[in-house]
């Protein structure tokens, strides 16, 4: 997701620095970006000069301190509040005073990240959708602590990178995931009840609702570990059993079948 966000920003003419903990992660992010852009050049959708301009806007580092001059920092680490809070504490120290600290969390409470910093008014959510280079939507999440200026700057940034921003309050799942995940979870229930095969459920939702992909293909795209953590957060937050993660999802995650990224999830790739 981080690679996708950096690419989208770079396309919008913004200089982006990707920070990861290891050189291997950075190499894989650059490989993803290079691969996607080269495919577009091959398809004639992008010229070489434009590709080079986008690539020139992207740099990488393993050193968090290299982000000290950034205007906006968007974290996109694992969906675990403690990990995110630790990162926000560090970012608060190294980021310049005017910088906005944003989270790409799918469901976690943004105010819980804001409150560990000394700039809670400059913390918000900037939430992209998978694949970030393709899907037009970005949710701009407003925790109770955020200032109007922070939300305006985040909105301006989203517009500058050519995405469609929507504003939403800091409630678990925001707009999209709060509506999408009960549907995805119920698809697993339907499969488990033997109502139809996985392939037929996917075909039905594509052909019957004009969705670009069916629920099982989408779960595999999002990642089953991410999907499980989103459902757990939604369930804990709303107490609604529609959000209680189906045991089959837990089972696949426990077996390391995480979706496309591990080449196996509901489907095998
Ligand atoms: N990563 C990056 N780019 C991808 C991609 C991927 N995994 N899959 C496809 N693309 C790109 C292709 O390169 C192609 O780009 P160009 O048009 O520039 O050539 C474009 O997407 C269309 O691809 P295809 O023609 O090969 O395939 P498609 O028309 O079937 O589209 C799709 C593929 C874009 C993934 C489409 O099926 C889709 O939009 N699916 C729904 C995705 C969705 O609902 N995402 C939201 C998930 S929820 C979420 O993300 C929230 C969260 O917090 C977890």
């Amino acid at each position: 997701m981080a690679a996708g966000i950096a690419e989208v920003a770079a396309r919008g003419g913004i200089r982006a620095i990707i920070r990861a903990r290891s050189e291997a992660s950075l190499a894989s992010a650059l490989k993803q970006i290079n691969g996607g852009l080269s495919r577009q050049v091959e398809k004639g959708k992008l010229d070489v000069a434009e590709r080079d301009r986008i690539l020139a806007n992207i740099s990488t580092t393993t050193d968090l301190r290299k982000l000290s001059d950034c205007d906006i920092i968007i974290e996109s680490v694992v969906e675990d509040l403690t990990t995110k809070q630790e990162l926000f504490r560090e970012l608060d120290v190294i980021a310049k005073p005017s910088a906005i600290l944003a989270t790409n969390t799918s469901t976690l409470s943004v105010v819980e990240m804001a409150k560990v910093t000394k700039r809670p008014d400059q913390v918000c959510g900037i939430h992209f959708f998978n694949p970030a280079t393709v899907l037009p939507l970005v949710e701009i999440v407003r925790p109770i602590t955020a200032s109007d200026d922070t939300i305006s700057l985040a909105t301006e940034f989203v517009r500058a990178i050519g995405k469609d921003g929507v504003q939403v309050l800091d409630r678990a799942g925001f707009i999209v995931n709060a509506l999408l995940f009960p549907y995805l979870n119920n698809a697993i229930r339907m499969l488990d009840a033997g109502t139809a095969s996985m392939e037929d459920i996917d075909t039905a939702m594509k052909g019957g609702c004009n969705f670009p992909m069916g629920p099982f293909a989408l779960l595999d795209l999002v990642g089953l570990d991410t999907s499980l953590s989103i459902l757990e957060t939604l369930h804990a937050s709303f107490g609604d059993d529609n959000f209680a993660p189906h045991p089959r999802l837990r089972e696949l995650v426990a077996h390391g079948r995480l979706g496309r990224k591990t080449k196996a999830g509901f489907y095998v790739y």
Side-chain angles (χ1 to χ4, degrees):
M1 184 63 108
I5 297 172
E7 182 185 323
V8 167
R11 270 177 188 273
I14 291 167
R15 280 190 299 119
I17 308 175
I18 309 174
R19 185 268 174 176
R21 284 176 301 176
S22 71
E23 291 293 348
S25 304
L26 292 175
S28 124
L30 283 180
K31 189 173 165 210
Q32 182 186 321
I33 295 169
N34 271 306
L37 293 177
S38 298
R39 266 195 303 281
Q40 295 214 336
V41 171
E42 279 160 27
K43 286 187 196 167
K45 292 187 169 176
L46 191 71
D47 63 38
V48 172
E50 179 65 2
R51 179 197 62 191
D52 292 347
R53 187 193 64 77
I54 296 168
L55 289 174
N57 274 340
I58 301 173
S59 58
T60 60
T61 184
T62 53
D63 183 357
L64 205 64
R65 286 167 303 184
K66 291 270 164 54
L67 306 184
S68 62
D69 202 29
C70 290
D71 297 312
I72 299 185
I73 301 176
I74 305 173
E75 76 70 26
S76 187
V77 301
V78 64
E79 282 289 277
D80 173 68
L81 185 59
T82 310
T83 311
K84 286 188 190 284
Q85 284 177 323
E86 273 167 25
L87 183 59
F88 269 84
R89 275 191 202 97
E90 284 185 76
L91 288 172
D92 192 29
V93 174
I94 63 105
K96 65 183 179 186
S98 61
I100 288 181
L101 306 182
T103 171
N104 182 48
T105 182
S106 306
T107 31
L108 295 172
S109 165
V110 181
V111 75
E112 293 296 325
M113 292 168 233
K115 78 180 191 194
V116 302
T117 72
K118 293 193 174 65
R119 59 178 97 194
D121 54 321
Q122 287 164 239
V123 175
C124 68
I126 300 184
H127 180 219
F128 289 79
F129 292 81
N130 249 308
T133 47
V134 182
L135 293 206
L137 184 73
V138 174
E139 289 175 328
I140 299 158
V141 184
R142 178 172 205 140
I144 195 164
T145 41
S147 69
D148 288 346
D149 280 355
T150 296
I151 299 304
S152 299
L153 275 164
T155 306
E156 216 174 280
F157 166 74
V158 169
R159 200 178 300 129
I161 60 173
K163 295 287 186 190
D164 300 331
V166 291
Q167 284 189 27
V168 54
L169 292 182
D170 186 18
R171 308 259 160 80
F174 314 128
I175 299 173
V176 174
N177 286 340
L179 294 174
L180 176 64
F181 274 84
Y183 153 69
L184 296 177
N185 206 28
N186 277 314
I188 311 175
R189 281 187 192 155
M190 183 179 273
L191 175 68
D192 200 50
T195 309
S197 70
M198 186 164 76
E199 291 79 2
D200 281 356
I201 295 171
D202 272 359
T203 301
M205 295 314 289
K206 278 164 70 181
C209 293
N210 218 8
F211 288 176
M213 52 187 12
F216 296 101
L218 185 53
L219 280 158
D220 279 352
L221 175 73
V222 169
L224 303 192
D225 50 343
T226 305
S227 299
L228 177 60
S229 101
I230 290 172
L231 281 163
E232 279 172 340
T233 308
L234 286 166
H235 191 223
S237 183
F238 296 114
D240 176 339
D241 281 346
N242 259 322
F243 294 121
H246 192 280
R248 193 182 277 227
L249 183 61
R250 286 190 191 284
E251 214 170 75
L252 287 168
V253 172
H255 282 87
R257 291 180 64 133
L258 307 183
R260 283 190 189 207
K261 60 187 166 190
T262 56
K263 309 264 185 277
F266 282 98
Y267 292 101
V268 174
Y269 296 89

